[in-house]
Structures are given as C-alpha cells and as structure tokens.
Amino acid sequence: MTEYLFGLVTDYGVWVIFASTFLSCLLVPMPSSLMMLASGAMAAVGDMVLWQVAASAFAGAVLGDQSGYQIGRRAGAGLHRLTKGSHSRQQLLERAHTTVDKHGGIGVFLSTWLFAPLGPWVNMVAGATRLSWPRFTLWDTLGETIWVTIYVGLGFAFSTSFSAVGEILSNAIGFVTSLAAAIALGAWLLHRAKRAKKHT
C-alpha cells in the first residue's frame, strides 16, 4: 500500500493529492490522510515542494466540503436515502445532525479533523439545515487548515517512518470518534431515562 501511494503521488503529483482530499469529503473512500503523509515525506526529501503539497490538499478539502454543503442545501430531504439499508451510515447521519444542532460552527470545525469520519455527513447536514454559509466556511476553513497541517507536517517531519505515524493517527482518530459516539449515546440514554421517570 505504501509503495502504491508513493507511486500515485510520483506519477500525478499535486493533482492526485487534490483529488484525494476533494473526493474524501464527498463520501468517496480515499486514503487522503495517508496521501498527505506520503506527499509530506516526499517534500522532505526534495521530490515535491512543500507549499504546493499543502495548498493542493487544502484546496481539495475545502472545495470538497463546499460541494457537500451545496449538495445538502439542494437535496437535504434526500440525505436519508443515502443511508437506506446501512446501519452504520444511519448512525453517522444521526451523529452529524446532533453535531450541527448542538454545536453549529464548532461542530463543523471539529468534524474536519478531530472527528474526520463525520466530516462529509456534517457538511451535507449543515447545508440541509441552512447553517449560515459564511459561518460554515469560516469554521470549515479553520478546521481544514489544522487537518492538512497535521498530516502534511507529520509526513514532512517523519519522512522515514510515515506509515507508522499514519497507523498511529488512524487508530487515535478512530478511538476519539468512538469515544464521542459513546458519550453521545450515554447522554441520549440518560435523557430518555429522565423523561421516562418524569412521565411515571
């Protein structure tokens, strides 16, 4: 996988980085984080230019998020069709709704880097719920700046062991997302228990 990623970046340069971050923000399964790590590592050894790598990753991510927001704005009611027949997707969509409803712009910000698996869903839900576009854009841009800086920066700093760094980061993000889901579920169950107690 590592050699394949290096080969893609070597053959297509910043365009493949742009495409990977753009598509990953539109629910297309792409190893965008690993692509950024790989390109950061190649910039460290002089095969690529660091600012071009960062700029292409950032542009792809922001444009992908903006596209997701516009999709949600135009077809908000149809979002539930995307989750039909997939329990995991239904859960992600419900969490995205909760994130936007409770936290608004901060939720968008955190979904771009800390809770990355929620990101594409949050973008579409933000559009569907008519979250202000300037507010969405502000928080999204700030979040994507952090996401790109973390992965490209770590690839650049740890160019000799970027695959190990990628695995550690992937596990950490998975843990944080699972923890957030568990906390949200606990809060929901507590709320339901209080309501049931009140009615009885």
Side-chain angles (χ1 to χ4, degrees), residues 19-73:
S20 69
T21 55
F22 177 82
L23 294 173
S24 70
C25 295
L26 291 173
L27 297 175
V28 178
M30 296 287 290
S32 52
S33 299
L34 281 177
M35 295 292 278
M36 287 191 285
L37 283 170
S39 57
M42 294 182 76
V45 297
D47 291 336
M48 300 187 78
V49 181
L50 183 61
W51 75 264
Q52 292 177 353
V53 167
S56 60
F58 177 77
V62 171
L63 288 175
D65 289 341
Q66 291 290 332
S67 299
Y69 177 87
Q70 293 301 327
I71 289 170
R73 202 168 181 86

Short mmCIF file of all heavy atoms in Angstrom, two decimals, residues 19-73:
data_model
loop_
_atom_site.label_atom_id
_atom_site.label_comp_id
_atom_site.label_asym_id
_atom_site.label_seq_id
_atom_site.Cartn_x
_atom_site.Cartn_y
_atom_site.Cartn_z
N ALA A 19 -7.20 15.61 -5.68
CA ALA A 19 -8.34 14.73 -5.95
C ALA A 19 -8.68 13.88 -4.74
O ALA A 19 -9.86 13.66 -4.44
CB ALA A 19 -8.02 13.83 -7.15
N SER A 20 -7.67 13.40 -4.01
CA SER A 20 -7.93 12.52 -2.87
C SER A 20 -8.63 13.26 -1.74
O SER A 20 -9.57 12.73 -1.14
CB SER A 20 -6.64 11.88 -2.37
OG SER A 20 -5.79 12.84 -1.77
N THR A 21 -8.21 14.48 -1.44
CA THR A 21 -8.87 15.22 -0.37
C THR A 21 -10.25 15.69 -0.80
O THR A 21 -11.20 15.68 -0.01
CB THR A 21 -8.03 16.43 0.10
OG1 THR A 21 -7.72 17.27 -1.03
CG2 THR A 21 -6.73 15.97 0.75
N PHE A 22 -10.39 16.07 -2.07
CA PHE A 22 -11.70 16.50 -2.57
C PHE A 22 -12.72 15.36 -2.49
O PHE A 22 -13.82 15.52 -1.94
CB PHE A 22 -11.56 16.98 -4.01
CG PHE A 22 -12.86 17.39 -4.65
CD1 PHE A 22 -13.39 18.65 -4.43
CD2 PHE A 22 -13.55 16.51 -5.47
CE1 PHE A 22 -14.60 19.03 -5.02
CE2 PHE A 22 -14.75 16.87 -6.06
CZ PHE A 22 -15.28 18.14 -5.83
N LEU A 23 -12.35 14.20 -3.01
CA LEU A 23 -13.28 13.08 -3.06
C LEU A 23 -13.58 12.51 -1.68
O LEU A 23 -14.70 12.05 -1.42
CB LEU A 23 -12.73 11.99 -3.98
CG LEU A 23 -12.64 12.36 -5.46
CD1 LEU A 23 -11.92 11.26 -6.25
CD2 LEU A 23 -14.03 12.59 -6.04
N SER A 24 -12.59 12.56 -0.79
CA SER A 24 -12.83 12.02 0.55
C SER A 24 -13.87 12.83 1.32
O SER A 24 -14.53 12.31 2.22
CB SER A 24 -11.52 11.98 1.35
OG SER A 24 -11.08 13.28 1.68
N CYS A 25 -14.02 14.09 0.95
CA CYS A 25 -15.02 14.95 1.58
C CYS A 25 -16.41 14.76 0.98
O CYS A 25 -17.37 15.39 1.42
CB CYS A 25 -14.62 16.43 1.46
SG CYS A 25 -13.11 16.83 2.37
N LEU A 26 -16.50 13.88 -0.02
CA LEU A 26 -17.78 13.60 -0.68
C LEU A 26 -18.16 12.12 -0.56
O LEU A 26 -18.78 11.56 -1.45
CB LEU A 26 -17.71 14.01 -2.15
CG LEU A 26 -17.61 15.52 -2.41
CD1 LEU A 26 -17.38 15.79 -3.88
CD2 LEU A 26 -18.88 16.22 -1.93
N LEU A 27 -17.73 11.52 0.55
CA LEU A 27 -18.07 10.13 0.89
C LEU A 27 -17.42 9.10 -0.02
O LEU A 27 -17.82 7.93 -0.01
CB LEU A 27 -19.60 9.92 0.88
CG LEU A 27 -20.38 10.73 1.91
CD1 LEU A 27 -21.88 10.51 1.71
CD2 LEU A 27 -19.99 10.32 3.31
N VAL A 28 -16.43 9.49 -0.81
CA VAL A 28 -15.69 8.52 -1.62
C VAL A 28 -14.54 8.00 -0.77
O VAL A 28 -13.75 8.79 -0.25
CB VAL A 28 -15.13 9.17 -2.91
CG1 VAL A 28 -14.34 8.14 -3.70
CG2 VAL A 28 -16.27 9.74 -3.75
N PRO A 29 -14.45 6.68 -0.56
CA PRO A 29 -13.39 6.14 0.29
C PRO A 29 -12.01 6.32 -0.33
O PRO A 29 -11.62 5.59 -1.24
CB PRO A 29 -13.76 4.65 0.43
CG PRO A 29 -14.60 4.36 -0.77
CD PRO A 29 -15.33 5.63 -1.10
N MET A 30 -11.30 7.30 0.15
CA MET A 30 -9.96 7.61 -0.35
C MET A 30 -8.99 7.71 0.83
O MET A 30 -9.34 8.26 1.87
CB MET A 30 -9.96 8.95 -1.09
CG MET A 30 -10.82 8.99 -2.33
SD MET A 30 -10.10 8.05 -3.68
CE MET A 30 -8.69 9.06 -4.12
N PRO A 31 -7.76 7.19 0.68
CA PRO A 31 -6.77 7.28 1.77
C PRO A 31 -6.11 8.67 1.79
O PRO A 31 -4.89 8.80 1.68
CB PRO A 31 -5.78 6.18 1.42
CG PRO A 31 -5.81 6.15 -0.08
CD PRO A 31 -7.23 6.45 -0.47
N SER A 32 -6.93 9.71 1.91
CA SER A 32 -6.41 11.07 1.78
C SER A 32 -5.38 11.41 2.86
O SER A 32 -4.40 12.11 2.59
CB SER A 32 -7.56 12.08 1.82
OG SER A 32 -8.38 11.87 2.94
N SER A 33 -5.60 10.92 4.08
CA SER A 33 -4.65 11.22 5.15
C SER A 33 -3.28 10.61 4.84
O SER A 33 -2.24 11.26 5.01
CB SER A 33 -5.17 10.70 6.49
OG SER A 33 -6.38 11.33 6.83
N LEU A 34 -3.28 9.36 4.38
CA LEU A 34 -2.02 8.71 4.02
C LEU A 34 -1.38 9.38 2.82
O LEU A 34 -0.15 9.46 2.72
CB LEU A 34 -2.26 7.23 3.73
CG LEU A 34 -2.40 6.32 4.95
CD1 LEU A 34 -2.69 4.90 4.51
CD2 LEU A 34 -1.14 6.35 5.81
N MET A 35 -2.21 9.86 1.89
CA MET A 35 -1.67 10.57 0.72
C MET A 35 -0.94 11.83 1.15
O MET A 35 0.11 12.18 0.61
CB MET A 35 -2.79 10.92 -0.25
CG MET A 35 -3.49 9.72 -0.86
SD MET A 35 -2.44 8.79 -1.98
CE MET A 35 -2.61 9.76 -3.46
N MET A 36 -1.52 12.53 2.13
CA MET A 36 -0.86 13.74 2.62
C MET A 36 0.43 13.41 3.36
O MET A 36 1.43 14.12 3.21
CB MET A 36 -1.82 14.54 3.51
CG MET A 36 -2.92 15.24 2.74
SD MET A 36 -3.84 16.41 3.75
CE MET A 36 -4.84 15.32 4.74
N LEU A 37 0.39 12.34 4.14
CA LEU A 37 1.63 11.91 4.81
C LEU A 37 2.70 11.56 3.79
O LEU A 37 3.87 11.96 3.94
CB LEU A 37 1.35 10.69 5.69
CG LEU A 37 0.66 10.93 7.03
CD1 LEU A 37 0.24 9.60 7.64
CD2 LEU A 37 1.57 11.69 7.99
N ALA A 38 2.32 10.82 2.75
CA ALA A 38 3.28 10.41 1.72
C ALA A 38 3.86 11.62 0.99
O ALA A 38 5.07 11.72 0.76
CB ALA A 38 2.61 9.46 0.72
N SER A 39 2.98 12.56 0.64
CA SER A 39 3.46 13.74 -0.09
C SER A 39 4.32 14.63 0.81
O SER A 39 5.29 15.24 0.34
CB SER A 39 2.28 14.53 -0.65
OG SER A 39 1.38 14.90 0.37
N GLY A 40 3.98 14.70 2.10
CA GLY A 40 4.83 15.45 3.03
C GLY A 40 6.20 14.83 3.14
O GLY A 40 7.22 15.53 3.19
N ALA A 41 6.23 13.48 3.16
CA ALA A 41 7.52 12.78 3.22
C ALA A 41 8.34 13.02 1.95
O ALA A 41 9.56 13.20 2.01
CB ALA A 41 7.28 11.28 3.41
N MET A 42 7.67 13.06 0.79
CA MET A 42 8.38 13.30 -0.46
C MET A 42 8.89 14.74 -0.54
O MET A 42 9.95 15.00 -1.11
CB MET A 42 7.46 12.98 -1.63
CG MET A 42 7.11 11.51 -1.72
SD MET A 42 6.07 11.10 -3.14
CE MET A 42 7.27 11.17 -4.46
N ALA A 43 8.14 15.66 0.07
CA ALA A 43 8.62 17.04 0.12
C ALA A 43 9.87 17.15 0.99
O ALA A 43 10.77 17.96 0.71
CB ALA A 43 7.52 17.96 0.66
N ALA A 44 9.94 16.32 2.02
CA ALA A 44 11.09 16.36 2.93
C ALA A 44 12.38 15.94 2.23
O ALA A 44 13.47 16.41 2.58
CB ALA A 44 10.84 15.46 4.14
N VAL A 45 12.26 15.05 1.23
CA VAL A 45 13.47 14.60 0.53
C VAL A 45 13.67 15.35 -0.78
O VAL A 45 14.55 14.99 -1.58
CB VAL A 45 13.42 13.07 0.27
CG1 VAL A 45 13.38 12.32 1.59
CG2 VAL A 45 12.22 12.70 -0.59
N GLY A 46 12.86 16.36 -1.03
CA GLY A 46 13.07 17.22 -2.18
C GLY A 46 12.38 16.78 -3.46
O GLY A 46 12.60 17.39 -4.52
N ASP A 47 11.54 15.73 -3.40
CA ASP A 47 10.85 15.27 -4.60
C ASP A 47 9.61 16.10 -4.92
O ASP A 47 9.08 16.03 -6.04
CB ASP A 47 10.44 13.80 -4.46
CG ASP A 47 11.66 12.88 -4.46
OD1 ASP A 47 12.70 13.29 -5.01
OD2 ASP A 47 11.57 11.77 -3.91
N MET A 48 9.11 16.83 -3.94
CA MET A 48 7.96 17.71 -4.14
C MET A 48 8.22 19.01 -3.40
O MET A 48 9.16 19.11 -2.60
CB MET A 48 6.66 17.06 -3.64
CG MET A 48 6.31 15.75 -4.33
SD MET A 48 4.68 15.10 -3.86
CE MET A 48 3.63 16.18 -4.84
N VAL A 49 7.38 20.00 -3.66
CA VAL A 49 7.52 21.31 -2.99
C VAL A 49 6.47 21.38 -1.88
O VAL A 49 5.27 21.18 -2.15
CB VAL A 49 7.31 22.46 -3.99
CG1 VAL A 49 7.47 23.80 -3.29
CG2 VAL A 49 8.30 22.33 -5.15
N LEU A 50 6.90 21.66 -0.68
CA LEU A 50 6.04 21.58 0.50
C LEU A 50 4.80 22.48 0.38
O LEU A 50 3.68 22.03 0.64
CB LEU A 50 6.83 21.94 1.76
CG LEU A 50 6.06 21.82 3.08
CD1 LEU A 50 5.57 20.39 3.31
CD2 LEU A 50 6.93 22.29 4.25
N TRP A 51 4.98 23.73 -0.04
CA TRP A 51 3.82 24.64 -0.07
C TRP A 51 2.82 24.21 -1.14
O TRP A 51 1.60 24.38 -0.96
CB TRP A 51 4.27 26.08 -0.30
CG TRP A 51 4.71 26.44 -1.70
CD1 TRP A 51 5.97 26.46 -2.19
CD2 TRP A 51 3.85 26.83 -2.78
NE1 TRP A 51 5.99 26.83 -3.52
CE2 TRP A 51 4.70 27.08 -3.91
CE3 TRP A 51 2.48 26.99 -2.94
CZ2 TRP A 51 4.20 27.47 -5.15
CZ3 TRP A 51 1.98 27.39 -4.18
CH2 TRP A 51 2.83 27.63 -5.26
N GLN A 52 3.31 23.60 -2.23
CA GLN A 52 2.39 23.12 -3.26
C GLN A 52 1.59 21.91 -2.76
O GLN A 52 0.39 21.78 -3.06
CB GLN A 52 3.17 22.74 -4.52
CG GLN A 52 3.79 23.93 -5.23
CD GLN A 52 4.63 23.53 -6.43
OE1 GLN A 52 4.85 22.34 -6.69
NE2 GLN A 52 5.09 24.52 -7.18
N VAL A 53 2.24 21.05 -2.01
CA VAL A 53 1.56 19.90 -1.42
C VAL A 53 0.45 20.37 -0.48
O VAL A 53 -0.70 19.93 -0.56
CB VAL A 53 2.56 19.02 -0.64
CG1 VAL A 53 1.84 18.01 0.24
CG2 VAL A 53 3.50 18.31 -1.61
N ALA A 54 0.80 21.29 0.43
CA ALA A 54 -0.17 21.79 1.40
C ALA A 54 -1.31 22.53 0.72
O ALA A 54 -2.48 22.36 1.07
CB ALA A 54 0.53 22.70 2.42
N ALA A 55 -0.98 23.34 -0.28
CA ALA A 55 -2.01 24.13 -0.97
C ALA A 55 -2.98 23.23 -1.72
O ALA A 55 -4.20 23.46 -1.71
CB ALA A 55 -1.36 25.12 -1.93
N SER A 56 -2.48 22.19 -2.38
CA SER A 56 -3.36 21.30 -3.15
C SER A 56 -4.26 20.49 -2.21
O SER A 56 -5.46 20.30 -2.49
CB SER A 56 -2.55 20.37 -4.04
OG SER A 56 -1.67 19.57 -3.27
N ALA A 57 -3.71 20.02 -1.11
CA ALA A 57 -4.51 19.26 -0.14
C ALA A 57 -5.59 20.15 0.47
O ALA A 57 -6.75 19.75 0.61
CB ALA A 57 -3.61 18.69 0.95
N PHE A 58 -5.21 21.37 0.82
CA PHE A 58 -6.16 22.32 1.42
C PHE A 58 -7.26 22.70 0.44
O PHE A 58 -8.45 22.70 0.78
CB PHE A 58 -5.40 23.56 1.88
CG PHE A 58 -6.27 24.63 2.46
CD1 PHE A 58 -6.77 24.51 3.75
CD2 PHE A 58 -6.59 25.77 1.73
CE1 PHE A 58 -7.59 25.50 4.29
CE2 PHE A 58 -7.40 26.75 2.25
CZ PHE A 58 -7.89 26.62 3.54
N ALA A 59 -6.88 23.00 -0.80
CA ALA A 59 -7.87 23.40 -1.81
C ALA A 59 -8.86 22.27 -2.08
O ALA A 59 -10.08 22.49 -2.17
CB ALA A 59 -7.16 23.80 -3.11
N GLY A 60 -8.36 21.04 -2.18
CA GLY A 60 -9.24 19.90 -2.42
C GLY A 60 -10.21 19.68 -1.27
O GLY A 60 -11.40 19.43 -1.49
N ALA A 61 -9.70 19.81 -0.04
CA ALA A 61 -10.55 19.59 1.13
C ALA A 61 -11.64 20.65 1.24
O ALA A 61 -12.81 20.34 1.47
CB ALA A 61 -9.69 19.57 2.40
N VAL A 62 -11.26 21.90 1.07
CA VAL A 62 -12.25 22.99 1.21
C VAL A 62 -13.29 22.92 0.09
O VAL A 62 -14.49 23.06 0.34
CB VAL A 62 -11.55 24.36 1.22
CG1 VAL A 62 -12.56 25.49 1.13
CG2 VAL A 62 -10.72 24.52 2.49
N LEU A 63 -12.85 22.68 -1.14
CA LEU A 63 -13.80 22.57 -2.25
C LEU A 63 -14.71 21.36 -2.10
O LEU A 63 -15.90 21.40 -2.43
CB LEU A 63 -13.06 22.51 -3.59
CG LEU A 63 -12.42 23.82 -4.05
CD1 LEU A 63 -11.62 23.61 -5.32
CD2 LEU A 63 -13.48 24.90 -4.27
N GLY A 64 -14.17 20.27 -1.56
CA GLY A 64 -14.99 19.09 -1.30
C GLY A 64 -16.04 19.37 -0.24
O GLY A 64 -17.21 18.98 -0.39
N ASP A 65 -15.65 20.06 0.82
CA ASP A 65 -16.60 20.43 1.87
C ASP A 65 -17.67 21.36 1.35
O ASP A 65 -18.85 21.23 1.68
CB ASP A 65 -15.86 21.09 3.04
CG ASP A 65 -15.01 20.10 3.83
OD1 ASP A 65 -15.25 18.88 3.71
OD2 ASP A 65 -14.10 20.54 4.55
N GLN A 66 -17.26 22.33 0.53
CA GLN A 66 -18.23 23.27 -0.03
C GLN A 66 -19.22 22.55 -0.95
O GLN A 66 -20.41 22.86 -0.97
CB GLN A 66 -17.50 24.38 -0.81
CG GLN A 66 -16.70 25.34 0.04
CD GLN A 66 -17.59 26.24 0.87
OE1 GLN A 66 -18.72 26.54 0.51
NE2 GLN A 66 -17.07 26.71 2.00
N SER A 67 -18.72 21.58 -1.69
CA SER A 67 -19.60 20.80 -2.57
C SER A 67 -20.60 20.00 -1.74
O SER A 67 -21.80 19.93 -2.08
CB SER A 67 -18.78 19.85 -3.44
OG SER A 67 -17.90 20.57 -4.28
N GLY A 68 -20.13 19.41 -0.65
CA GLY A 68 -21.02 18.67 0.23
C GLY A 68 -22.08 19.56 0.84
O GLY A 68 -23.25 19.18 0.95
N TYR A 69 -21.68 20.75 1.23
CA TYR A 69 -22.63 21.73 1.80
C TYR A 69 -23.71 22.07 0.78
O TYR A 69 -24.90 22.12 1.10
CB TYR A 69 -21.86 22.98 2.23
CG TYR A 69 -22.74 24.10 2.75
CD1 TYR A 69 -23.09 24.15 4.10
CD2 TYR A 69 -23.20 25.11 1.90
CE1 TYR A 69 -23.88 25.18 4.59
CE2 TYR A 69 -23.99 26.14 2.38
CZ TYR A 69 -24.33 26.17 3.73
OH TYR A 69 -25.12 27.19 4.20
N GLN A 70 -23.31 22.31 -0.47
CA GLN A 70 -24.27 22.67 -1.51
C GLN A 70 -25.19 21.50 -1.85
O GLN A 70 -26.38 21.70 -2.13
CB GLN A 70 -23.54 23.15 -2.77
CG GLN A 70 -22.80 24.46 -2.60
CD GLN A 70 -23.71 25.61 -2.19
OE1 GLN A 70 -24.87 25.66 -2.57
NE2 GLN A 70 -23.18 26.55 -1.41
N ILE A 71 -24.65 20.28 -1.81
CA ILE A 71 -25.49 19.10 -2.04
C ILE A 71 -26.56 19.01 -0.96
O ILE A 71 -27.75 18.77 -1.24
CB ILE A 71 -24.63 17.82 -2.06
CG1 ILE A 71 -23.77 17.78 -3.32
CG2 ILE A 71 -25.52 16.57 -1.98
CD1 ILE A 71 -22.73 16.69 -3.33
N GLY A 72 -26.17 19.22 0.28
CA GLY A 72 -27.12 19.18 1.38
C GLY A 72 -28.15 20.28 1.28
O GLY A 72 -29.33 20.08 1.58
N ARG A 73 -27.72 21.44 0.82
CA ARG A 73 -28.64 22.58 0.70
C ARG A 73 -29.71 22.33 -0.37
O ARG A 73 -30.85 22.76 -0.22
CB ARG A 73 -27.84 23.83 0.36
CG ARG A 73 -28.53 25.14 0.72
CD ARG A 73 -27.55 26.29 0.62
NE ARG A 73 -28.18 27.54 0.98
CZ ARG A 73 -28.29 28.01 2.21
NH1 ARG A 73 -27.82 27.30 3.24
NH2 ARG A 73 -28.88 29.17 2.45
#
